[in-house]
Amino acid sequence: MVQGKPSAVMVVGGGVAGIQAALDLANRGLHVYLVERGPSIGGHMAQLDKTFPTMDCSICILAPKMVECGRHPNITIITDAEVVGLKGRAGDFRVRVLVRPRYVDLERCTGCGICVEKCPMRPPLRRIPDEFNVGLGERRAIYIPFPQAVPRAAIVDPEHCLYLRKNKCLLCEEFCQAEAVDFSQQPRELELHVGAIVIATGFEFLDASIVAEYGYGRYKNVLTSLELERLVCASGPTGGELVRPSDGKKPERIAFIQCVGSRSTRPGHAPYCSAVCCMYATKEAILIKEHEPECEVTIFYMDLRAFGKGFQELVTRAKEEYGIRYVRARPSRLIEDPGTGDVIVRYEDTEALELRDERFDLVVLCPALVPCRDNVKLAKALGLELDEHGFFGVLDPLLAPVDTNVPGIFVCGYCTGPKDISESVYQASCAAERAMEVVFGREVEG
Amino acid sequence: MSERERGQEEGKGSEEPRVGVFICHCGLNIAGTVDVEEVVKYASTLPDVVVAKDYMYMCSSAGLDMIKEAIREHKLNRVVVAACTPRTHEPLFRQTCAEAGLNPYLFEMANIREHCSWVHMHEKKMATEKAKDIVRMTVAKARLLRPQEDIVVSVEPKALVIGGGVSGMTAALSLARQGFKVYLVEKEPELGGLLRKLNKIYPAFREASELLSELVKAVESEENIEVLTSTRVEHVKGFVGNFTVKLRRASGEELELFVGTIIVATGAVEYEPKGLYGYGELEGVITQLQLEERLRKGELGEPEAVVFILCAGAREAEGPRSYCSRICCITALKNAVLIKEERPETDIYVLYRDIQTPGIEYEELYHLARELGVRFVRYSPEKPPKVSAEGGRLRVSVFCTFLGRELLVPCDLVVLSAPLVQHEDGRGLSRLLKVPLSQDGFFLEAHPKLRPVEFASDGIFLCGAAHFPKPIGECVAQARAAAGKAAILMGARQLRTEAITAVVDEARCIGCGLCVELCPFGAPILEGRKARIREAVCKGCGTCAASCPRNAISMRHFTDEQIEAQIKALLSGR
């Protein structure tokens, strides 16, 4: 290691890619600041029920990595935080990080949940949608993001907290035996000295309601795939019971619609392919069949993209073992039957060359996955270039797939473009390796 | 008795057991369901238990101090914590024991949260009884615990990279730049692998030769890399950190290396689609790789019409090539675009099943091809296209699923997109390294998401098309990832693992070799007709111990005696 160079690095984003990059760097002996925007690391993978093509339980394979991050002596997790400024150069960066108040002292909070139980902000007083369950469940004004959260600690939502809004209540503070609730917390800024930075901010779901003809947000029985994921998950808001939102009835016919707002040149849509939807729809269809073997599942697709190791095999299983029906079509619109809440899918069966109206109990939309809106701010703070869609650009997609226009800053995971978990994980290890080269190698100036 | 075991006998483990039991409320997580006070009272009546206490959060610093103080005050030589899962908290409690001067293996955890309070929330009385059962079982095992020492293996800071294609060269460069010595072995006389046969690479349509010379130059000017071309791996023995590798050069010369890590980057080859669509029989039916060669050498000629047939020998209903080979759609589209840009009057038809262009750039390529006038015809595998020769030209007939009828396309060239497949000698290498192949014939990673560039055996990594067909950018990412993993091991110079391994009782061992055969990690070896476990390789899974016909193998920290004591404690009732 070059004398005087900091042996610390920063990872921005605590999803599976950021977690993997942090672990690799920490295991290489570097100190890692893992900066996460939200109250817990875990990212979208923590919300998934299972993962394709192996059908592993998602949180079961992620949680051990999250925990490892949480107790690794070389990793400092900084939640509720964002990067706001950068000075210096590769090998010698000074990064400014803004930490929002959590109103809970992370050193003291043991995650026991007494505060959550005592918080009065629940129905009938207020119904606060729970972000982790994509609004399908409820939480309080003080809450633990999800059972496997790391750090497993409470956080106060200032939008809903009675004390922060109206200066009354303080029940959480009163009942907390660890004396962890701290309403005196203020936003604070840290300046961290690091040799290299890895960016892994992941993705967001496109707001499916912009594809107006599918009626998301207007039709009760039209869900997004992430909502379905929470509904079939045993730790989800229904305990894994798949019921339709309008009447709690068990759906007997379910349709998936692929490429909702993706592979589409309409304004506000994503022209690219999100790369994971064909496979996760196949996975979700299998999960539905495992829950309800009698349920009929249809997937409407344009091109069935099953291109990775073991993918085609899973699709074959879905067809042959589970009887899942794949129809090549891009439905033109959905129509709600107001009497029953059923949804009619209008499509041209391009193989049978027929226009059809088909009735389903529940329709699941697979929306485009888009870059995080916050990328714009982050790119500005770090001097990074974004592509036309808002993904982080790379120097050379062939030989330098994680290098950016700023030497010493590397990118990985979905924030560089569509990819699945496996690719995100090895790309994260790749970005970590590049950061190692900066700190340990001859590469001071990239 | 080995020296080490003798040392352990002399340690605290052989004294009269003095057990301390510490029961955690975990806030309301445990105490909300289990009557902790009752469990404490019960625990203190168990044999050899000298102290039993409870606390709101045993893992808080106050809780940990309580344990340390009790170890000193009551001269405890065994510690049981009844709380949550050892997965998250065992390391913390073990460390606490060590801080109080106790061997960390004299600690045992009882999980009364995940295994009890969380799953029996509505049966409080029964849950309390079950918590007692779990604590009784754990104490029964704890009484028989023996001190152990972690296993420390030294790691040679040198790496062997097998395969000199783009993945292998990239991995070697990454390691060399981190300061490690790398041996880069290539069986061909030149570096480059598949890249040497390619024309231009998408995106940006870069010349493959340019890319290749850039990489080769970097590799050759890197002093930490020793390139060994025309060389094959002949024999590998040893284990993580300590591999002895025998190489043979084409000249017949033998070489022996000692390395700490191995990276497999052997790539893949194009499947020869013999007997498919007239390949090998009809002139003008070629593979994608042959087309690349013609384009590279400017030998395409001036065909009026070219037909690309995708999935030629891939995504088959049965057999080893049921997979999608990932790069064929992209390669076909790239070449269709190149031909169309060079000679726009050429008619190009792409016969496909599903166009596999995930992501941004590949979808753009698909759009570009359509804009340039490349015609796409979707066929179904039930009615595959037919190629015949007629009047000096080729003729392709295909049932188009969109039009619902047969199309006839006269053409001059039919290009088959055949999948990438494992090398002929892939199986041999998998045997040499004792690493598995998957059904598709490619090397099998330890776990697709948790460990995508590692083999289950420590110290051996994989990347690139050896794992599965993938575009160059992804090969590069995997190669660097593999290098990073190897660097983690080599940078530490040593590897510390838990002492939970198999041990052979030589007096009982008859040298049958069953353990050698069954071990998924290759830990046992036969030496002088006796089995010996290489501790650094052993993962403590217990397969050998369970199958040994003479009961000659036991598991450290999970001995038969300890497990029997637990079962007896359970059956002895309340």
Side-chain angles (χ1 to χ4, degrees), chain B residues 4-236:
Chain B
R4 183 165 140 179
E5 281 156 337
R6 246 195 313 277
Q8 285 160 6
E9 286 299 309
E10 287 159 13
K12 282 189 171 170
S14 57
E15 296 161 15
E16 204 55 35
R18 294 177 63 79
V19 186
V21 181
F22 302 89
I23 299 165
C24 181
H25 293 221
C26 195
L28 290 176
N29 280 303
I30 293 169
T33 302
V34 170
D35 184 342
V36 171
E37 216 170 292
E38 201 182 316
V39 181
V40 171
K41 230 182 272 169
Y42 174 75
S44 58
T45 66
L46 293 169
D48 294 333
V49 171
V50 292
V51 58
K53 292 183 168 211
D54 63 309
Y55 193 66
M56 177 67 75
Y57 298 105
M58 213 44 95
C59 62
S60 64
S61 50
L64 299 175
D65 286 344
M66 178 196 239
I67 297 173
K68 283 194 259 188
E69 222 174 278
I71 291 174
R72 292 192 197 101
E73 189 188 333
H74 298 278
K75 300 194 168 51
L76 300 180
N77 54 21
R78 304 288 190 286
V79 171
V80 169
V81 171
C84 56
T85 166
R87 181 116 219 181
T88 58
H89 281 67
E90 188 177 61
L92 180 69
F93 291 121
R94 274 190 178 172
Q95 195 194 327
T96 304
C97 290
E99 283 165 16
L102 200 63
N103 181 293
Y105 288 90
L106 297 175
F107 166 80
E108 191 69 21
M109 202 152 176
N111 187 345
I112 57 167
R113 193 179 73 178
E114 280 86 342
H115 292 177
C116 186
S117 67
W118 274 3
V119 283
H120 304 299
M121 245 176 241
H122 307 295
E123 304 127 305
K124 297 193 176 176
K125 214 170 159 53
M126 298 277 281
T128 302
E129 291 308 311
K130 183 172 173 182
K132 288 185 195 170
D133 288 347
I134 295 172
V135 169
R136 184 174 66 249
M137 288 170 75
T138 312
V139 169
K141 182 184 174 187
R143 294 168 67 206
L144 301 171
L145 289 173
R146 289 276 169 269
Q148 310 287 349
E149 296 302 326
D150 281 352
I151 295 154
V152 179
V153 192
S154 67
V155 179
E156 179 73 9
K158 292 178 186 162
L160 168 71
V161 176
I162 308 173
V166 61
S167 302
M169 286 192 281
T170 305
L173 279 168
S174 295
L175 283 171
R177 284 175 184 151
Q178 286 199 50
F180 299 105
K181 167 88 188 177
V182 185
Y183 301 98
L184 177 59
V185 173
E186 167 59 48
K187 65 179 177 182
E188 301 293 329
E190 277 175 83
L191 291 173
L194 264 183
L195 200 53
R196 290 175 51 222
K197 300 183 176 169
L198 302 183
N199 172 39
K200 285 183 182 172
I201 315 284
Y202 184 81
F205 296 100
R206 273 186 78 183
E207 296 281 347
S209 57
E210 194 188 295
L211 216 68
L212 178 62
S213 63
E214 190 181 312
L215 271 171
V216 171
K217 214 173 107 191
V219 166
E220 284 174 347
S221 62
E222 177 54 66
E223 55 184 11
N224 282 338
I225 301 178
E226 191 173 329
V227 178
L228 297 157
T229 46
S230 303
T231 305
R232 283 170 181 274
V233 177
E234 242 190 22
H235 190 69
V236 179

Side-chain angles (χ1 to χ4, degrees), chain A residues 20 24 28 52 56 65 110 112 177 263 273 303-305 309 312 350-351 353 422 433 442, chain B residues 56-57 174 178 222 315 354-357 359 363 378 401-402 443 447-450 467 480 485:
Chain A
Q20 187 60 55
D24 281 7
R28 184 75 175 89
F52 65 80
D56 281 309
K65 287 203 186 217
T110 55
C112 73
Q177 298 183 31
R263 299 188 73 194
C273 158
D303 287 286
L304 195 69
R305 294 199 164 156
K309 186 161 178 155
Q312 184 66 43
T350 55
E351 283 177 10
L353 304 173
S422 172
E433 191 282 326
R442 299 186 285 267
Chain B
M56 177 67 75
Y57 298 105
S174 295
Q178 286 199 50
E222 177 54 66
R315 296 174 78 193
D354 291 283
I355 290 289
Q356 306 285 353
T357 50
E363 190 72 14
R378 187 167 178 272
T401 64
F402 293 153
F443 285 99
H447 189 284
K449 292 172 192 73
L450 300 179
H467 160 259
R480 291 202 170 126
K485 299 284 184 193

Side-chain angles (χ1 to χ4, degrees), chain A residues 103 121 126 128 139 141 156-162 164-165:
Chain A
Y103 305 109
M121 297 306 279
R126 180 138 328 156
I128 311 173
R139 62 162 171 82
V156 176
D157 175 356
E159 299 274 303
H160 294 104
C161 172
L162 265 185
L164 288 171
R165 286 165 52 88

